[in-house]
Amino acid sequence: GEDVEQSLFLSVREGDSSVINCTYTDSSSTYLYWYKQEPGAGLQLLTYIFSNMDMKQDQRLTVLLNKKDKHLSLRIADTQTGDSAIYFCADPHSGNTPLVFGKGTRLSVIA
Amino acid sequence: SAVISQKPSRDICQRGTSLTIQCQVDSQVTMMFWYRQQPGQSLTLIATANQGSEATYESGFVIDKFPISRPNLTFSTLTVSNMSPEDSSIYLCSAGGPLPYGYTFGSGTRLTVV
C-alpha cells in the first residue's frame, strides 16, 4: 500500500531556514499536503501543492515537489520559536479516501 | 472547508468503562475518518465512516472495541469500549471532501485510562 516516509527530528536556530523532507510511493497523487501539529492540538493544514507543480511559495513557506523521485520538501524561512511543532506530510489520493500520513518530523527551534 | 467540533477535548476514565467521542461538522460531508495518535507517534487510521453504511475498519481495529455511528452527513461518534491503559491516546476525527481544501480535523480528544 501507500507509504509516506519522513525524517523524525530536526533542530534549527531561530532565524535559520528549516527544510523538512518527505518521500511517498503513490504516483497518482493529485495533491500533497503539509500539516502542522502543535503540542496538545489537532492538525492544521499548513499548505499543499498540486502534483503538476514543482514549487509553491506561501509567505515563509516553500514547497518543492520532485515527482520523478517522489520527493516533497517544506522549507520554512526565518524559522521562529512558534514554528516548533510536528510536521506531517500527507497524501490524500482523493477526497473520499483517508489521508496517508508520514510519521511526522519534530521541529525544535533553538532561541 | 468544513469546520469540525469534537468533544470531549480530554477525559480521564477508569479501566473497563467506555467513552463516546462526538464530532459535529458544520456542513454535509460524505466521508468521515477516525484516527488514533499514540504519544509521540503519527496518526493511525481506525476506520472510515460513510453515512448510511457500516464503518470500514482497518487491520487491528474491530467494531466491538471501537463502534462507530454515522447517523447523518454532519455527525459521527466513536466509542472506545472496555478501556484499558493501552487505549490512552489522542483520538481525532476528520472529514473528507473536495480537494484541495477538503480534509479538516477535529481538535482531538486526549484520553487517559487509569
Side-chain angles (χ1 to χ4, degrees):
Chain A
E2 165 73 44
D3 197 18
V4 178
E5 297 284 341
Q6 294 178 246
S7 52
L8 296 182
F9 300 99
L10 178 64
S11 181
V12 300
R13 293 198 177 276
E14 190 174 19
D16 288 351
S17 292
S18 308
V19 179
I20 302 170
N21 294 302
C22 173
T23 58
Y24 61 97
T25 57
D26 182 6
S27 57
S28 68
S29 305
T30 307
Y31 293 91
L32 290 156
Y33 293 94
W34 284 103
Y35 282 84
K36 177 182 180 182
Q37 186 179 36
E38 296 185 30
L43 269 71
Q44 170 197 353
L45 177 62
L46 204 56
T47 188
Y48 65 90
I49 188 167
F50 188 43
S51 61
N52 70 352
M53 297 171 68
D54 298 324
M55 184 181 81
K56 179 182 178 182
Q57 186 147 5
D58 184 0
Q59 299 182 335
R60 292 191 296 122
L61 304 178
T62 303
V63 180
L64 295 177
L65 176 61
N66 181 328
K67 216 175 169 185
K68 174 175 167 289
D69 294 337
K70 298 191 178 71
H71 182 265
L72 181 72
S73 68
L74 173 70
R75 179 177 181 269
I76 306 172
D78 186 24
T79 312
Q80 303 297 307
T81 54
D83 295 323
S84 293
I86 302 176
Y87 291 82
F88 293 95
C89 62
D91 179 355
H93 298 288
S94 74
N96 286 327
T97 56
L99 286 168
V100 178
F101 287 92
K103 291 191 187 307
T105 299
R106 185 179 295 273
L107 174 63
S108 297
V109 182
I110 305 163
Chain B
S1 54
V3 175
I4 303 177
S5 173
Q6 181 174 347
K7 57 182 182 182
S9 59
R10 58 178 63 230
D11 208 341
I12 301 173
C13 300
Q14 297 289 324
R15 69 176 66 201
T17 63
S18 298
L19 175 73
T20 296
I21 302 166
Q22 299 181 358
C23 280
Q24 178 74 53
V25 190
D26 70 346
S27 59
Q28 293 185 338
V29 294
T30 304
M31 307 297 288
M32 290 188 72
F33 310 104
W34 287 95
Y35 293 88
R36 180 173 74 183
Q37 186 180 25
Q38 295 183 302
Q41 302 291 318
S42 185
L43 282 75
T44 300
L45 181 67
I46 297 172
T48 299
N50 193 2
Q51 193 267 335
S53 62
E54 282 207 3
T56 302
Y57 288 83
E58 298 299 301
S59 176
F61 298 97
V62 294
I63 187 171
D64 290 346
K65 175 67 176 177
F66 297 101
I68 287 171
S69 79
R70 185 82 205 277
N72 57 53
L73 290 171
T74 63
F75 188 77
S76 180
T77 67
L78 170 78
T79 299
V80 187
S81 303
N82 188 24
M83 288 184 285
S84 66
E86 291 71 35
D87 295 320
S88 297
S89 273
I90 298 172
Y91 292 84
L92 297 112
C93 62
S94 173
L99 302 181
Y101 299 110
Y103 289 93
T104 53
F105 285 82
S107 54
T109 297
R110 184 178 293 270
L111 171 63
T112 303
V113 184
V114 296

